[in-house]
Each structure stands twice: as C-alpha cells, then as structure tokens.
Amino acid sequence: MFTSNQPHSPWTRGNQKAYDPEKIKLNPNMLDTKLTRKNMANYFAEITYLDSLVGVCMDMVDRSGQKENTIIMLVTEQGNSFPFSKWTLYDQGLHSGMIVKWPGKVKPGSRNQQCWNMQILPQL
C-alpha cells in the first residue's frame, strides 16, 4: 500500500515550469486570473509528481515478479480546493477519481458506466 497527500496545497512539488499558465483551460465556473492560472499550473505539476511516484511503485511490482498477481487501485478523495470545488456540491467537489488495474479481471482501457470519472488503465 502506498499513500500520498499529493496533490495538496500549497502545490510545491513537481516541476513548476511544466505547465504554461496561459495555455491552461479553466472550467467555466473558475475566475480567470493570473493567480488562478498559476495555481492551476502548480496543481497540475503536483499531479504529475504523484504520477511519477505511482510509476516507482509499479516498477517495484514489476521487479517483484507479481505483476500479474497484483491489483493496482489509485483512488482520490474529494475534488481540488479551488473555489466551487472541494467541500461543495458542484461537480468539481463531488467527483473523485479511481483507476484500477486488475490483470485477468478488468479489461485494460474499459470504463465502468456505473461510476463517475472511472477510467481503467490502458495496458501498462
């Protein structure tokens, strides 16, 4: 089991220059300011950092020889902490992410229509 608090404000992990704030598409309910864009870029950088940590864990599973005998689940908590998101009843506050890799049980690339925002990992 691996746990992480990324992405979590103050969003200081990851490559802060990886995302150009001017090119980020904001949701329509977000206030479009330089600060919002900078914070969103840092938020995305921290998600990318978390992705790299998940990659390290998956490499460990590969090296263990148990890749085909391991269920991998990545589950998020509530939405991000931007306005109208976390702690609200708006979509950005209600939806949580879940990604599952279960060899022989869950078809890679499949989606479960009963779960919002559920995407099965492509073959890794």
Side-chain angles (χ1 to χ4, degrees):
M1 182 169 164
F2 161 75
T3 59
S4 175
N5 70 338
Q6 277 79 46
H8 203 279
S9 61
W11 305 311
T12 56
R13 302 212 176 161
N15 179 357
Q16 302 292 307
K17 298 189 185 303
Y19 297 91
D20 181 351
E22 295 304 315
K23 294 182 180 176
I24 289 175
K25 181 180 178 187
L26 298 174
N27 285 336
N29 67 312
M30 298 182 82
L31 183 61
D32 192 348
T33 67
K34 286 185 180 187
L35 181 59
T36 301
R37 289 180 167 281
K38 178 183 179 293
N39 286 338
M40 186 62 80
N42 292 345
Y43 176 68
F44 289 162
E46 194 150 308
I47 290 171
T48 301
Y49 173 74
L50 171 61
D51 183 63
S52 74
L53 298 178
V54 172
V56 169
C57 292
M58 293 182 73
D59 287 344
M60 292 170 64
V61 170
D62 288 348
R63 288 193 311 270
S64 76
Q66 294 298 313
K67 181 177 178 177
E68 297 304 314
N69 195 32
T70 301
I71 301 169
I72 296 174
M73 297 190 323
L74 177 64
V75 182
T76 68
E77 58 175 7
Q78 73 280 355
N80 62 55
S81 58
F82 285 91
F84 302 105
S85 298
K86 189 175 187 177
W87 309 299
T88 72
L89 295 179
Y90 293 98
D91 282 348
Q92 286 174 224
L94 292 173
H95 291 188
S96 294
M98 180 176 182
I99 302 170
V100 176
K101 181 177 187 273
W102 189 354
K105 300 289 184 180
V106 177
K107 182 181 175 187
S110 63
R111 292 180 71 94
N112 182 327
Q113 297 303 319
Q114 295 173 347
C115 298
W116 289 351
N117 293 342
M118 184 172 177
Q119 174 66 46
I120 307 303
L121 287 173
Q123 188 61 39
L124 301 173

